[in-house]
Amino acid sequence: MARCGELVEEEDDDEYAKLVRRMNPPSVVIDNDSCDSATVIRVDRVKKHGILLEAVQVLVDLNLVITKAYISSDGNWFMDVFNVTDQDGNKLQNTEVTDCIKKCLESEDYLVPPASGLDGGAAPSEETTCVELTGTDRPGLLSEVCAVLASLSCNIVNAEVWTHDRRAAAVIQHTDAAPGGTAVSLGAAHAERRLHRLMLDDADGDAGGEERSGGVAVKPKAKVVVMDCTERRYTVVILRCRDRPRLLFDTTLCALTDLHYVVFHGTVDAEGGSSKEAYQEYYVRHVDGHPVRCDAERLRLVRCLVAAVERRASDGLELEVKTEDRAGLLSEITRVFRENSLSIIRAVITTKDGEADDTFYVSDAYGNPVNGKAMETLGEQLGHAVLRVKSNSRAAIKRAEDGGGGAASIIGNLLKGSFQGFRLIRSYS
């Protein structure tokens, strides 16, 4: 008889498994009474591979904060309990939000993208083209990539760019028309899902060693332990790191799902908020039903989980640029960053109703905090664009001013956050 992990994988897509799921519809209960500090969401469904990621992605898409989670699989059944709040730490009182959660969690096709002929790729709208890039992060040209697209009359309406351990990936959505039209976003969580997959496929996390900033080794931001639970034939994965938004989505879910592990039982505790340590513990097997079988597999699992934590854990100064969208705007902004020797660690580009709302995480060219004087120069050169330093990043400026972390004399071509040497993964309309 097949073991539980094997049964899920082998029967997941056959007609019998689909029939079982139709005969046993999901049960979703949303409870605001049993917990004082959070809304409790209980999910009971027939199990299939990736079901935990589905549930978490629903909550992430709605910008909810998961403070606790309890995961259990009994045979072919998946049972999960999430304690969630809104971004302000309040319970969910909006019936539109709770109705949306129930509808999405009870749907079989929530993660299935519209027909695009691409395996796992983000589906663009009729008006947009999506470009995926990945490769070595080196001195060069995020600004030049934007300039090339601008010269081809391509207006970037949504984009997300990540860098980690000298590797980089980008998902860019653009139109061929002038700005001002209606653009359909890929959906933040779906773009992020693609970026995790792109960086994993690009061997990010496999190289080993510590990420370097300015030639100095940086201590990993997560502690990961992988142990054997021999009597139950599980592998136990324990992860500890500073809590932050979307940590659960990034780490154990994207990483474990992309590495083809199935979570059978687990506990997540992140009630302390971003200032506290998050604790995650999982009992997993590979989809073939086996636990981790060798030291090489164990080491790769640890490295990939650490990489999943670090990709979004930006230490840079968080800047927000809000202004009216226009052709070539992003090319202008990134050129100003480059000329002021600022390195773009991560970027999130969004456009809605003709307004650009862009967020950049930056450091100086050596990976140090940005000097306050550099910020003044940056604001002057951006002119009509509205530049705002996020409140949680002001300490980074003060550290730079106190410690002389600015490097205003560094030449602009040392900019790290660029994509010369990238290979095109795919471009599709």
Side-chain angles (χ1 to χ4, degrees):
M1 179 178 292
R3 288 181 291 272
C4 184
E6 296 171 325
L7 181 63
V8 171
E9 178 69 10
E10 292 168 2
E11 296 186 349
D12 185 42
D13 294 323
D14 66 18
E15 292 302 320
Y16 173 74
K18 293 177 182 177
L19 177 62
V20 169
R21 289 199 293 271
R22 284 197 297 268
M23 294 176 63
N24 298 273
S27 171
V28 179
V29 177
I30 299 178
D31 176 12
N32 266 323
D33 298 325
S34 60
C35 178
D36 293 334
S37 58
T39 297
V40 179
I41 301 174
R42 298 182 179 88
V43 184
D44 193 350
R45 298 182 61 173
V46 174
K47 187 174 180 179
K48 64 177 181 178
H49 182 52
I51 192 171
L52 182 57
L53 176 59
E54 281 190 29
V56 172
Q57 184 154 353
V58 169
L59 303 178
V60 167
D61 281 349
L62 293 170
N63 292 318
L64 302 179
V65 177
I66 302 172
T67 59
K68 281 182 178 289
Y70 307 93
I71 303 149
S72 181
S73 298
D74 182 9
N76 283 330
W77 285 91
F78 166 84
M79 293 163 284
D80 203 349
V81 179
F82 297 101
N83 286 19
V84 303
T85 68
D86 62 18
Q87 291 290 324
D88 297 321
N90 302 316
K91 292 184 179 183
L92 311 184
Q93 304 293 348
N94 189 325
T95 55
E96 291 185 7
V97 173
T98 55
D99 289 347
C100 180
I101 292 172
K102 284 181 64 70
K103 181 179 179 181
C104 291
L105 290 177
E106 291 173 352
S107 170
E108 281 290 329
D109 302 319
Y110 182 71
L111 284 185
V112 177
S116 63
L118 298 167
D119 180 18
S125 72
E126 293 180 357
E127 299 87 7
T128 62
T129 298
C130 186
V131 178
E132 294 178 354
L133 300 169
T134 187
T136 303
D137 182 29
R138 62 180 70 180
L141 305 171
L142 173 55
S143 61
E144 287 191 18
V145 169
C146 296
V148 169
L149 289 173
S151 71
L152 296 172
S153 300
C154 298
N155 183 52
I156 298 174
V157 291
N158 293 289
E160 190 141 0
V161 181
W162 288 2
T163 66
H164 177 257
D165 199 18
R166 299 177 295 278
R167 307 301 297 173
V171 176
I172 301 172
Q173 191 178 13
H174 68 83
T175 63
D176 296 327
T182 300
V184 181
S185 173
L186 297 175
H190 297 273
E192 294 160 359
R193 183 81 181 86
R194 287 298 301 151
L195 286 166
H196 275 299
R197 184 73 230 185
L198 290 171
M199 297 199 86
L200 180 66
D201 290 345
D202 196 44
D204 178 42
D206 284 350
E210 297 175 324
E211 185 175 3
R212 292 180 177 270
S213 175
V216 179
V218 178
K219 186 178 179 180
K221 294 181 174 65
K223 298 177 181 178
V224 180
V225 177
V226 178
M227 305 181 297
D228 296 324
C229 180
T230 308
E231 64 275 13
R232 300 299 301 273
R233 301 191 70 256
Y234 290 126
T235 293
V236 183
V237 179
I238 298 174
L239 182 145
R240 294 177 182 269
C241 66
R242 183 175 179 178
D243 191 31
R244 60 168 174 77
R246 299 178 184 244
L247 177 65
L248 181 60
F249 175 80
D250 287 343
T251 57
T252 37
L253 303 185
C254 281
L256 289 176
T257 299
D258 287 342
L259 292 170
H260 306 294
Y261 290 99
V262 178
V263 176
F264 286 84
H265 305 280
T267 301
V268 175
D269 187 354
E271 276 197 319
S274 59
S275 62
K276 301 293 184 179
E277 182 181 72
Y279 176 85
Q280 301 176 2
E281 179 179 321
Y282 300 93
Y283 291 76
V284 306
R285 293 179 190 146
H286 196 267
V287 292
D288 62 9
H290 293 283
V292 170
R293 284 172 282 192
C294 64
D295 289 341
E297 183 182 356
R298 189 187 313 274
L299 181 59
R300 183 168 189 257
L301 177 55
V302 170
R303 287 174 173 172
C304 288
L305 284 170
V306 171
V309 171
E310 294 179 339
R311 287 171 195 147
R312 202 201 296 265
S314 303
D315 289 330
L317 181 68
E318 184 178 358
L319 303 179
E320 186 179 72
V321 179
K322 286 189 175 183
T323 187
E324 182 181 353
D325 190 31
R326 65 183 185 278
L329 173 64
L330 191 58
S331 178
E332 278 185 38
I333 294 171
T334 53
R335 175 183 55 79
V336 171
F337 284 166
R338 182 191 66 205
E339 290 174 352
N340 284 276
S341 302
L342 296 182
S343 172
I344 299 175
I345 302 170
R346 186 161 65 90
V348 181
I349 310 302
T350 56
T351 305
K352 184 177 182 181
D353 298 329
E355 292 289 320
D357 186 353
D358 304 337
T359 300
F360 301 90
Y361 297 82
V362 301
S363 67
D364 73 10
Y366 288 137
N368 298 316
V370 178
N371 188 284
K373 293 180 180 179
M375 289 306 306
E376 293 176 9
T377 303
L378 192 66
E380 292 172 1
Q381 293 183 4
L382 286 175
H384 53 273
V386 179
L387 176 67
R388 185 166 71 95
V389 179
K390 289 293 188 72
S391 58
N392 60 355
S393 298
R394 296 186 185 278
I397 293 182
K398 186 169 190 314
R399 286 197 303 270
E401 292 171 339
D402 293 344
S409 63
I410 300 172
I411 335 177
N413 64 8
L414 289 178
L415 179 67
K416 171 190 155 204
S418 56
F419 297 93
Q420 186 177 26
F422 268 25
R423 58 190 176 94
L424 178 64
I425 299 301
R426 55 166 66 99
S427 174
Y428 44 89
S429 300

